[in-house]
Amino acid sequence: MTSIAPPARPIDEDALSYVAAVLLGFSFGGFFDGILFHQILQWHHLLSRVAPFADDLRVQILADGLFHAAMYGLAALGLALLIARVAHGRRPGTRRFIAWFMIGFGAWQIVDVVAMHWILGLHNIR
C-alpha cells in the first residue's frame, strides 16, 4: 500500500517579515544589555570573567565594541529584510510584528543568561 503525501504548503509570504522582526528584537535586546549594563551602569563587560582578559580594561572595551558591531549587523540585516518586504507590498501586520519583535528581544535575554552567563561563564550576573 502506498501513501500519498499531502501537497506541500507554500512558504508563508509574511514569514520573512517576522524573521526581520525577530532579528530586530534580538539585536535591540543586545543593545539594551550592552548599553545599559555594560556602559551606563558598568556592572560588567562582555569578558569580565575570562581569566587572561579580566583585568585588561582595553580588551574589555574592545570586546564590548565588537559585540555592539555584531548587534548592528543583525539589526541591519533585519532592517534590510523588512524594507525589502515592504517594497514588495508585503507590509507585516503591526501587532504580529511587535509580537515577533518581543520574541526576538526575549530570545536575546535567554541566550545571554543561559549561554553567556551560565554555560560559558563570560561575565557575572549582578
Side-chain angles (χ1 to χ4, degrees), residues 86-117:
V86 171
H88 286 94
R90 298 289 185 184
R91 183 180 176 274
T94 303
R95 286 185 181 185
R96 282 191 179 181
F97 185 85
I98 291 171
W100 283 105
F101 178 93
M102 295 307 293
I103 288 170
F105 191 92
W108 162 256
Q109 302 306 320
I110 292 170
V111 166
D112 181 43
V113 169
V114 173
M116 294 188 188
H117 293 270

Side-chain angles (χ1 to χ4, degrees), residues 30-47:
F31 286 135
F32 176 81
D33 179 84
I35 293 168
L36 181 63
F37 298 129
H38 296 205
Q39 294 176 331
I40 294 173
L41 297 175
Q42 298 178 12
W43 283 359
H44 59 256
H45 292 287
L46 187 64
L47 303 176

